[in-house]
Amino acid sequence: MQFKLRFLFWNAACALFVLASFSAYSQNSRAPETHGIVIANMDRTVKPGDDFFHYANGEWIKRAEIPPDRSYIGSWDTLEDLSRKRTAGLIEEAAKANAPAGSNTRKIADLYNSYMDEPAIEAKGLAPLRPQLDAITAIHDKHDLARALGETLRADVDALNNTNFHTANLFGLWVAPGFNDSEHYAPYLMQGGLDLPDREYYLADSQSMRDIRTKYQAHVSALLKLAGFSNPDLRAQHIIELEHAIAEKHLSLADEQDIHKANNTWQRPDFAANAPGLDWDEYFRAAGLSNQASFIVWQPTAFAGESALVASTALETWKDWLAFHLIDSYAGVLPKAFADESFAFFGKTLSGTPEQRPRWQRGVAVVSGLLGDAVGQIYAQRYFSPEAKAQAEALVANLITAFRHRIEALAWMDPATKAEAEAKLTTLYVGIGYPETWRDYSAYEIKADDIFGNIARGRLFYYHRDLARLGLPVDRKEWTMEPQTVNAVNLPLQNALSFPAAILQPPFFDPQAPAAMNYGAIGSIIGHEISHTFDTEGSAFDSKGRVRDWWKPADLAHFNAATARLAAQYDTYKPFPDLALNGKQTLAENIADVAGISAAYDAYHASLAGKAAPAEDGFSGDQQFFIAFGQNWGSKEREAALREEVMTDSHSPDQFRAATVRNIDSWYAAFDVQPGEKLYLAPPDRVHIW
């Protein structure tokens, strides 16, 4: 349940290591001398009650141009730009330093330099992949296939944050606190097998999806041809047919978000009984999981369906599928022809991005992805002061207090349910800036002349690290983001939040800005993450991170009715005539937006301690608060990227997140919004949850 998550597909090899968000340009930034809302970005000819997104951001939208190497540009770019430049500077410093062998600084240098050494990559050609391709060629039966599939299993998914969720491996492993034993790490198995972003890319009958499928088949054929395979067109056709069959077995993103349906514990014998077709003993042996007695299977029907496909699909098709996904996953560190072909499809076709990012930016992304804590430790020391940490901690404390007061004031909630909800707030861990413990990379071998091996060993390093944690006590203060990441996250199984250093800076958090701006900008982000503790997913977990029904039936019925109304509201939003939002798919994030801005508004007024809010440039304190919230979402996006977002993201597109205000009573008073204006909702139709 991350606050803001988009992925840029520089190439398939970097899919595990991409940075969230977007542009190296800062066209929507507040000027350095501006400490507050940016009036120059507003279009005051637009009525706020008709279109709050353009009212808050319209002039900037008119000026802004999406850079050719981006699919999106938005208000987050100021910090993305700053964080990226800082991170690049730290990596370049490390690359020039003569650090001791084995040190984190040396690892950073060797990883970056190995990625930047294009002549060496060209000289090696396809040789780094040859042993694995030969092993695929040597597969003679379905027993061998089970071994090969098991060897590809990686811990590269995060079920609750939709991170790399539809892994191109047949299945994905997620190691996290157990649903039923939250004190120890447990293995979750997730559906996989697809290279396109979501099942709908294979199944939807719209012209845009048919066009993408045609271009995807051409991409598969092109990579196979580059790798020297005979009959690449026919092989590509069979691979696409297999992935289409896999997609038919997948659950939709909306259906995957029901935690109770995902809580399925299978013992080892259950796999052969419930999902016949795959040699599970050989699969688990090859995956290093022979001694694991049980798993939580997130999508049982998908496992049954995909396992049946292992038995029914021709062995040669599976071998071609394995070979293609191997090549595709490493395309970014193969000769330029492979990287260019990968970007042509994932960048240009899927995201509509005309140009690829400079190689140094891709190198920074790889290093920050594989050695995130090593870079982050330096980043935090240099760029996040103890004073900034203390100020952010105070603001978070105010938001938690505001949320507690909102729970106490709920007329519809039973005292027993309230007590459980307040217990979640009491035990909530909030990490500010950087983790308390840094990751140990001593077991990760990096060579200055072997980018292919560095990435392969990196994937294994993280996989083995997760396997080693199975059954061990949970570290509830562990972070899943690095300090240089412009994002925030709620971890319901740990009952924890993280706010990295990079997001706790202007324009979201500015100690010199009016309180109205800070609470409307970063305050709504913090409130969003706190409220995830009580959304449709978070509400399924108790104060210890266990899946437990702690709601009184009448309270849960009220909550479900309110959230259903919110889902229905978002179902009406159509960014394109042929494509509407899925209110169920984005429900948890929409709940967090509504509850987050509500709590931030309360915390803002509490911070005034009864004093009147000062006006700034003719705007009242409340107006500044809501405009700051709206300016969080100023953005422009290419059509292909927006379509992908609507179909695959658990967040609503930015323009509709800005429209969250139509559910907030105080917004109507602040801007004198009247019936007949497009965003107006009659009081009974406004959705209030927390």
Side-chain angles (χ1 to χ4, degrees), residues 502-579:
I503 200 174
L504 297 171
Q505 302 174 86
F508 296 135
F509 177 52
D510 182 356
Q512 299 183 58
M517 194 286 290
N518 276 328
Y519 278 94
I522 193 65
S524 64
I525 294 172
I526 294 169
H528 173 106
E529 292 304 336
I530 294 172
S531 63
H532 268 315
T533 306
F534 306 102
D535 65 17
T536 46
E537 292 182 2
S539 61
F541 300 90
D542 67 13
S543 60
K544 295 184 178 180
R546 296 172 297 186
V547 174
R548 183 171 68 85
D549 186 4
W550 51 271
W551 292 67
K552 292 289 185 181
D555 298 338
L556 187 59
H558 179 100
F559 177 77
N560 288 338
T563 58
R565 290 171 55 220
L566 191 63
Q569 183 183 117
Y570 279 78
D571 281 338
T572 66
Y573 296 149
K574 297 186 70 173
F576 303 103
D578 63 336
L579 185 62

Side-chain angles (χ1 to χ4, degrees), residues 516-688:
M517 194 286 290
N518 276 328
Y519 278 94
I522 193 65
S524 64
I525 294 172
I526 294 169
H528 173 106
E529 292 304 336
I530 294 172
S531 63
H532 268 315
T533 306
F534 306 102
D535 65 17
T536 46
E537 292 182 2
S539 61
F541 300 90
D542 67 13
S543 60
K544 295 184 178 180
R546 296 172 297 186
V547 174
R548 183 171 68 85
D549 186 4
W550 51 271
W551 292 67
K552 292 289 185 181
D555 298 338
L556 187 59
H558 179 100
F559 177 77
N560 288 338
T563 58
R565 290 171 55 220
L566 191 63
Q569 183 183 117
Y570 279 78
D571 281 338
T572 66
Y573 296 149
K574 297 186 70 173
F576 303 103
D578 63 336
L579 185 62
L581 270 60
N582 182 333
K584 182 180 177 183
Q585 174 180 306
T586 59
L587 181 55
E589 298 297 337
N590 298 335
I591 293 169
D593 280 347
V594 173
I597 192 173
S598 299
Y601 180 82
D602 288 357
Y604 162 56
H605 275 270
S607 75
L608 298 175
K611 298 178 182 178
E616 295 280 344
D617 298 305
F619 292 97
S620 70
D622 279 13
Q623 288 175 327
Q624 294 172 62
F625 172 89
F626 287 112
I627 292 169
F629 170 79
Q631 291 189 338
N632 277 355
W633 305 114
S635 65
K636 295 180 77 169
E637 191 165 6
R638 300 188 191 278
E639 178 178 337
L642 181 55
R643 285 182 176 275
E644 179 180 349
E645 182 182 4
V646 171
M647 296 178 66
T648 65
D649 202 329
S650 59
H651 302 83
S652 297
D654 292 345
Q655 67 198 84
F656 303 110
R657 299 188 78 170
T660 302
V661 293
R662 68 196 306 225
N663 292 293
I664 311 300
D665 294 335
S666 303
W667 174 74
Y668 288 81
F671 294 96
D672 191 28
V673 178
Q674 297 296 319
E677 297 180 16
K678 294 177 182 178
L679 290 179
Y680 180 86
L681 290 172
D685 296 328
R686 300 169 196 169
V687 180
H688 302 143

